[in-house]
Amino acid sequence: MKTRIILLFFFFYFAFSFAKTTPTFPFSTIINRPNGLSASSAKAADNHKLYDTKYFTQILDHFTFTPQSYHTFQQRYLINDRYWGGAKNMAPIFVYMGNEGDIEWFTQNTGFMFDIAPHFNALLVFIEHRFYGKSVPFGGEKEAKSSSKTLGYLSSTQVLADYATLIIDLKKNLTATDSPVVVFGGSYGGMLAAWFRLKYPHVTIGALASSAPILYFENITSPYAFSDVITQDFRSESENCYKVIKGSWQLIQDIAEESGGLERLRKSFNICKNYISVGSLEGWLSTAYTYTAMTDYPTATNFLNPMPPYPVKQMCKAIDDPNHGSDPLAKLYSAVNIYYNYTGEVNNCFDLASSSDPHGLSGWSWQACTEMIMPLGGSNKDSIFPASEWDYNERAQYCKEAFKIEPRPNWITTEFGGHNIERVLKRFGSNIIFFNGLRDPWSAGGVLKNISKSLVAIIAKEGAHHVDLRFSTKEDPKWLKDVRRKEVEIIQKWISQYYHSLTDLI
Ligand SMILES: *[C@@H]1O[C@H](CO)[C@@H](O)[C@H](O)[C@H]1NC(C)=O
Ligand SMILES: *[C@@H]1O[C@H](CO)[C@@H](O)[C@H](O)[C@H]1NC(C)=O
Ligand SMILES: *[C@@H]1O[C@H](CO)[C@@H](O)[C@H](O)[C@H]1NC(C)=O
Ligand SMILES: *[C@@H]1O[C@H](CO)[C@@H](O)[C@H](O)[C@H]1NC(C)=O
């Protein structure tokens, strides 16, 4: 199934996103804090400004000294000093390492930092990733993304250097050079956070790397593992649900071959007339299952699309519901409506050809063609998806056509490691929390074992994609509160140790 190429993306963007309005910031949830933290975060709700927006003149190329490398661009960062205890007190600085999209969008899913900032008297900083949002070099999207000559400056090593440069400069401006910095990140941003701690231990005392699949490179993790997790998510809800979805791919192929079959499929799923192929239908369906599994959160979400709590369960309920008759297409239609049309706001038809990118994620296709070669596109015969093999050549071919370049599939492990991670990190690494929710397919490439006393894997078998970083709510289950409490305790320990080490040296 060629259309699984969509899995290049952490957060799928181009088709199938029907959110009518940009989701608004969930102010009301701010006042719900993890248990045991101080009550002062309620202040955030009084003042609707969650952060100030600033720009920093950033160097284009940190690693060469040719004239072009001295070019600069404006890098956006967001800052909130409402809770900060100040430079004099050496109060901590919490920095979010921006992902592959608009930084303001990501702040909506990092409520955890707002929730815990009052407890730590922490300054909050969210840095936008170069080539995304408003942090685009070369004067604009069009200029920056038109050729590999300019896109070449989009790489993880440049990004980490941006973050280090900005943090050091900011601390200097605030005369806060002794304030400890803790970095946070989720998903790709979580990988950046973990790598940042390993590469820049003089800039940060520790990292919370949530749902960071740093082991999904080369052959460290099986290419089938990603879809195995999705299969397991649905299968554990109900065997019938799994069977209906699994059986649907062949059924769709069979119907497509009948005369008038494509039209019948189109009508069954309420798809607009511009719909082109059975491949795009398959992609549309598998996108729904994949992203529902990723965001199988215990409370309602508006992150990718608006969805109810435990959406996988809801999808399987729709499939198992006898009121939907025996027509598998009707069952699937009501199931995918939970992902695409939960609010019931998609009026006429689903537009599979639409290519909106509301969160500005398009730069990821360049990253997925250069360094971020994560071989996760395989499905074994028991998979909920049609059996398929991960095919590096298919990716390479796509990249050649799209950018006229050849990927470097071994670069990430060369630069950051990954093989024998336990043995390697045990000897020199420290202070990283790797959180993974095991219902999240990306957890397959995460660090799931404790490596040392301070390289800690926190696992929630009920958890999904960086669920720990979301705003806390009154409905949060106990396991989620426990995860967050553990994280707070560990961060607290890093900070205390840091202060102790300062006095030890005097
Ligand atoms: C630090 O201050 C200088 C001078 O005002 C300013 O140009 C620079 O952008 C500031 N750095 C940050 C990270 O804001
Ligand atoms: C990955 O491939 C390399 C080179 O082919 C091999 O030496 C290594 O054992 C493989 N590792 C795993 C985990 O399969
Ligand atoms: C979306 O849901 C609403 C309410 O259930 C329904 O009326 C509408 O037809 C659905 N949209 C599509 C494209 O099926
Ligand atoms: C790792 O150690 C911590 C205690 O430091 C514990 O809470 C956690 O459950 C352990 N993780 C795993 C995967 O065993």
Side-chain angles (χ1 to χ4, degrees):
M1 208 164 61
K2 282 273 190 319
T3 44
R4 300 285 314 277
I5 198 123
I6 56 169
L7 295 181
L8 300 175
F9 295 88
F10 278 93
F11 303 109
F12 186 46
Y13 72 100
F14 40 88
F16 327 138
S17 177
F18 296 92
K20 279 236 183 80
T21 49
T22 337
T24 49
F25 212 101
F27 291 108
S28 56
T29 58
I30 284 185
I31 49 175
N32 301 308
R33 300 165 306 278
N35 284 352
L37 297 184
S38 86
S40 56
S41 66
K43 274 193 291 184
D46 304 340
N47 178 348
H48 277 207
K49 223 168 141 206
L50 279 166
Y51 42 72
D52 291 320
T53 301
K54 306 229 165 167
Y55 287 87
F56 175 63
T57 302
Q58 186 61 268
I59 288 178
L60 179 63
D61 182 358
H62 298 280
F63 303 109
T64 58
F65 298 89
T66 59
Q68 162 113 330
S69 72
Y70 286 87
H71 289 197
T72 57
F73 66 96
Q74 294 303 301
Q75 180 164 34
R76 179 166 61 164
Y77 69 97
L78 314 174
I79 187 162
N80 173 329
D81 63 2
R82 192 170 304 134
Y83 315 109
W84 197 36
K88 260 201 222 111
N89 297 318
M90 294 184 282
I93 302 176
F94 289 176
V95 178
Y96 186 78
M97 317 241 97
N99 309 45
E100 72 286 19
D102 188 306
I103 189 66
E104 290 196 290
W105 182 54
F106 284 103
T107 62
Q108 293 168 20
N109 221 40
T110 50
F112 180 62
M113 289 174 67
F114 290 95
D115 284 338
I116 68 173
H119 173 76
F120 287 101
N121 297 317
L123 178 69
L124 297 179
V125 180
F126 300 80
I127 314 178
E128 189 160 69
H129 194 295
R130 57 165 62 198
F131 283 82
Y132 294 94
K134 298 224 165 8
S135 303
V136 180
F138 299 103
E141 284 280 316
K142 213 168 139 254
E143 295 79 359
K145 294 187 179 160
S146 59
S147 98
S148 41
K149 273 206 181 108
T150 44
L151 277 166
Y153 295 96
L154 170 51
S155 73
S156 57
T157 43
Q158 297 281 10
V159 169
L160 295 180
D162 288 344
Y163 293 169
T165 304
L166 195 154
I167 292 168
I168 290 169
D169 197 64
L170 180 66
K171 288 180 78 174
K172 198 177 79 195
N173 285 2
L174 297 171
T175 58
T177 40
D178 286 333
S179 282
V181 171
V182 178
V183 297
F184 295 71
S187 198
Y188 165 56
M191 310 204 293
L192 293 175
W195 293 334
F196 192 81
R197 167 64 189 160
L198 298 175
K199 292 287 189 190
Y200 294 90
H202 51 294
V203 183
T204 185
I205 63 161
L208 170 57
S210 181
S211 299
I214 58 168
L215 304 181
Y216 231 133
F217 292 94
E218 288 178 18
N219 58 355
I220 303 170
T221 300
S222 157
Y224 304 109
F226 186 91
S227 83
D228 283 350
V229 174
I230 301 170
T231 303
Q232 182 54 30
D233 286 349
F234 283 86
R235 202 167 190 175
S236 63
E237 293 300 340
S238 104
E239 186 69 15
N240 176 62
C241 176
Y242 157 76
K243 280 194 177 141
V244 169
I245 296 173
K246 180 160 184 58
S248 69
W249 310 109
Q250 187 59 49
L251 178 70
I252 287 169
Q253 290 286 342
D254 292 347
I255 295 174
E257 279 165 25
E258 292 166 10
S259 87
L262 274 181
E263 185 59 10
R264 190 181 143 205
L265 288 170
R266 187 184 75 75
K267 286 193 173 142
S268 303
F269 289 101
N270 223 346
I271 291 168
C272 304
K273 285 221 167 84
N274 60 0
Y275 135 85
I276 13 162
S277 66
V278 68
S280 63
L281 171 63
E282 289 169 339
W284 185 72
L285 293 171
S286 59
T287 296
Y289 308 136
T290 302
Y291 287 87
T292 302
M294 257 172 75
T295 56
D296 194 36
Y297 297 133
T299 54
T301 176
N302 199 357
F303 185 42
L304 297 171
N305 287 340
M307 273 201 288
Y310 297 113
V312 171
K313 190 181 277 320
Q314 296 305 320
M315 275 195 170
C316 283
K317 255 195 186 155
I319 287 174
D320 293 341
D321 187 343
N323 294 328
H324 293 141
S326 57
D327 178 4
L329 298 185
K331 289 168 183 286
L332 293 180
Y333 169 73
S334 54
V336 296
N337 255 278
I338 289 163
Y339 180 72
Y340 289 119
N341 186 23
Y342 180 61
T343 54
E345 283 173 20
V346 185
N347 290 326
N348 303 318
C349 54
F350 294 113
D351 183 1
L352 271 55
S354 108
S355 59
S356 73
D357 180 10
H359 311 301
L361 308 175
S362 72
W364 186 254
S365 43
W366 167 263
Q367 295 192 258
C369 273
T370 48
E371 327 173 274
M372 300 298 163
I373 310 299
M374 293 189 256
L376 49 79
S379 293
N380 62 41
K381 69 175 184 5
D382 293 329
S383 169
I384 199 162
F385 301 114
S388 68
E389 297 297 318
W390 152 252
D391 182 356
Y392 170 75
N393 294 323
E394 206 177 283
R395 173 76 64 89
Q397 187 59 35
Y398 165 81
C399 297
K400 209 168 159 190
E401 282 161 20
F403 301 109
K404 302 191 181 66
I405 47 155
E406 174 85 26
R408 293 182 191 160
N410 305 324
W411 172 241
I412 289 292
T413 56
T414 305
E415 173 68 10
F416 300 114
H419 293 288
N420 306 311
I421 189 156
E422 290 169 44
R423 194 199 318 149
V424 174
L425 290 196
K426 189 180 267 168
R427 273 188 274 129
F428 95 100
S430 67
N431 292 8
I432 304 177
I433 301 169
F434 295 100
F435 169 78
N436 278 285
L438 298 187
R439 293 181 73 80
D440 174 16
W442 294 105
S443 67
V447 175
L448 302 178
K449 279 195 217 148
N450 282 337
I451 297 177
S452 70
K453 266 207 163 125
S454 72
L455 293 166
V456 178
I458 296 183
I459 286 172
K461 69 177 190 328
E462 311 88 337
H465 203 48
H466 52 66
V467 62
D468 55 331
L469 293 185
R470 304 182 74 215
F471 276 102
S472 55
T473 74
K474 280 203 280 298
E475 290 79 39
D476 289 341
K478 180 173 179 300
W479 59 261
L480 182 52
K481 291 179 182 160
D482 289 345
V483 163
R484 291 185 177 134
R485 194 177 302 116
K486 261 189 204 175
E487 290 174 347
V488 165
E489 280 167 17
I490 293 170
I491 293 167
Q492 184 75 65
K493 196 156 83 190
W494 296 341
I495 293 173
S496 308
Q497 281 168 349
Y498 170 79
Y499 291 140
H500 278 296
S501 67
L502 287 183
T503 50
D504 287 351
L505 293 178
I506 292 167

